[in-house]
Amino acid sequence: MKKSMQILFFAALLMAFSGGVFAQSISITQITPSSPANLSHNEEITIHFDYDIAEPGGARIFIRPVTNGSLSPNYAASGSRVYRRSGSSSANFTITSGNVTVDQLRVRLVSANQGELVFEFFVPVDFGFSSPVTTLPGETNNQVPLHVIPDSLGNNTFSTRTDSIPADAEIIKRTLEPDGTVEIYYTGGYIRGLPPDGGEYLYHRRETPPGRNLCQ
């Protein structure tokens, strides 16, 4: 989806008033950033739109993120003033926590008192939200630090970054590191780190490969 375009999506409703026919519509003109995109929690998506409102008392426009047919979990979104006649405006939303993929935007035109849905339509998008990558001591673009973890026999294992932890993984233990980081250990060798300054990192424990130079 291009960053700027005349009309991405358009929805209109013809209504009859006193013998005349009036069209009311919402047309999305730009989405920033453009889709597809990967974002961190609390980064905002802004939707610009044109509107033409024929409701005598005005109407409100709500744009909400959707994931797999339902409102996305952990979303925060802008409200709506009462729109009248025609003009241009914008709305925004974000995801505040969790690994969430927004695959649609739901655009609704409702009455000013929010008691009646006038019409709605959906816009396909692809926005992935997750925790920001936490840079750990010793990490560069070419080197990922490895946690060396002795097992019960004294053999070293190491952990590498992973994108997610399986939903069926169960918590085994929690530890508090000297720097204040909380590390949560899961079945299957997965580790979630929660540094005191925010963010998180995910690791998966594996056997140490021969000859690998480990970063302590």
Side-chain angles (χ1 to χ4, degrees):
M1 203 175 283
K2 296 181 179 179
K3 288 186 178 180
S4 179
M5 56 185 67
Q6 283 299 107
I7 295 180
L8 293 173
F9 283 85
F10 174 85
L13 179 69
L14 294 177
M15 302 186 69
F17 294 112
S18 302
V21 177
F22 300 87
Q24 51 186 12
S25 64
I26 302 170
S27 57
I28 294 180
T29 55
Q30 185 176 351
I31 300 176
T32 305
S34 57
S35 174
N38 293 315
L39 302 98
S40 298
H41 295 149
N42 299 309
E43 286 192 65
E44 289 188 346
I45 302 291
T46 301
I47 305 97
H48 301 269
F49 57 88
D50 295 336
Y51 60 88
D52 192 356
I53 305 299
E55 294 286 319
R60 298 180 190 269
I61 297 171
F62 294 99
I63 301 179
R64 297 292 183 260
V66 172
T67 299
N68 296 327
S70 300
L71 289 176
S72 299
N74 309 317
Y75 82 86
S78 57
S80 173
R81 61 179 175 85
V82 176
Y83 293 97
R84 293 180 172 85
R85 296 180 288 278
S86 60
S88 300
S89 189
S90 65
N92 61 70
F93 74 88
T94 188
I95 301 297
T96 61
S97 63
N99 294 323
V100 178
T101 297
V102 177
D103 53 39
Q104 287 183 310
L105 303 181
R106 188 190 71 188
V107 184
R108 279 187 171 181
L109 182 72
V110 302
S111 58
N113 65 5
Q114 304 184 50
E116 178 184 358
L117 172 64
V118 181
F119 67 79
E120 70 176 16
F121 64 100
F122 294 84
V123 179
V125 294
D126 183 6
F127 293 117
F129 285 84
S130 60
S131 298
V133 174
T134 302
T135 301
L136 301 178
E139 182 171 0
T140 67
N141 291 334
N142 299 319
Q143 179 186 29
V144 176
L146 306 175
H147 292 282
V148 181
I149 306 172
D151 61 20
S152 59
L153 299 178
N155 299 316
N156 285 337
T157 62
F158 74 95
S159 54
T160 57
R161 283 194 182 278
T162 183
D163 293 330
S164 62
I165 294 177
D168 59 353
E170 298 180 356
I171 295 176
I172 300 174
K173 66 176 180 178
R174 292 180 173 87
T175 63
L176 181 63
E177 300 301 307
D179 66 352
T181 297
V182 175
E183 287 197 336
I184 306 171
Y185 291 74
Y186 295 79
T187 54
Y190 293 92
I191 304 169
R192 181 189 305 274
L194 303 173
D197 57 352
E200 68 175 359
Y201 56 84
L202 304 177
Y203 278 101
H204 186 207
R205 291 177 59 178
R206 302 175 187 274
E207 294 181 357
T208 305
R212 184 64 182 267
N213 182 22
L214 300 179
C215 300
Q216 297 285 347

